[in-house]
Amino acid sequence: QPGTVVLPGVPLLTVGDPGRLQLQLALSVEAAAGVQAGSRVRYELTDAPGGWHEAVVTRVAPTVDTLTRTVEVLARPSGRAAGMRAEAYAQAEVLGVAEAPVIVVPAAALQALEGDTVVVAFEPRGAGAFIRAVPVRAGRRAGALVEVRAGLPAGTVVVVGRAAIAKAELLKRRTGAAE
């Protein structure tokens, strides 16, 4: 601005190369556990929603930030996204490197039941159905999906939309059996 006073040593402008922009992610220690150089990242710019873009992880910091308990991960975009600029925010999902298949369930299927993490399994029986709580060990999360590391056999049908109601029915059944 004309007439503005500038102190010595204060930068007036910064020149950057938009072709060298990278994503800087701060992941929790648990979320960063399986991330490595070469992992794929899907991201969407907050300022330009509606278009998902791809990036590849180039660096995973070897240390944890002591204040935020996060690990810094850097990823280089595969192409130039429209609207991409320095200091912009993005929503990102780390997809990982292709490995063995994993079992995933919608996050809404996970329930807390008497100190355990469970999913409610559904088995059709004649004209009715049988539900039971299956204790599971949850792993990584990606959007609305959660990896199940142990406890759930592949192909098991789980209750999602009314999982809380199914859990209440299980609790009612347990308290009725105790009386």
Side-chain angles (χ1 to χ4, degrees):
Q1 296 287 338
T4 302
V5 177
V6 179
L7 299 173
V10 175
L12 295 176
L13 64 107
T14 303
V15 178
D17 180 2
R20 298 189 65 192
L21 292 176
Q22 59 187 359
L23 295 172
Q24 181 180 4
L25 303 130
L27 302 178
S28 68
V29 175
E30 296 81 19
V35 178
Q36 58 186 326
S39 295
R40 292 184 7 232
V41 177
R42 275 183 30 150
Y43 69 95
E44 178 182 42
L45 299 171
T46 305
D47 294 344
W52 286 91
H53 309 283
E54 295 277 328
V56 176
V57 171
T58 56
R59 180 178 187 276
V60 178
T63 59
V64 177
D65 184 308
T66 57
L67 294 176
T68 61
R69 303 298 304 156
T70 58
V71 176
E72 181 184 64
V73 175
L74 300 179
R76 175 152 323 272
S78 301
R80 177 134 164 75
M84 188 175 204
R85 58 186 167 71
E87 303 296 326
Y89 287 95
Q91 303 294 323
E93 296 178 350
V94 180
L95 303 175
V97 177
E99 293 179 8
V102 296
I103 297 173
V104 295
V105 296
L110 293 178
Q111 299 289 317
L113 180 65
E114 298 176 345
D116 289 329
T117 300
V118 301
V119 294
V120 178
F122 174 88
E123 297 174 22
R125 292 208 176 152
F130 177 73
I131 58 172
R132 63 185 169 88
V134 178
V136 296
R137 187 166 52 99
R140 298 172 290 185
R141 293 177 183 262
L145 298 175
V146 178
E147 173 188 23
V148 176
R149 292 187 176 231
L152 187 66
T156 303
V157 177
V158 298
V159 178
V160 178
R162 301 191 188 274
I165 295 170
K167 179 179 115 176
E169 182 62 32
L170 289 170
L171 286 170
K172 187 169 90 175
R173 203 186 307 163
R174 283 186 183 180
T175 56
E179 293 175 1

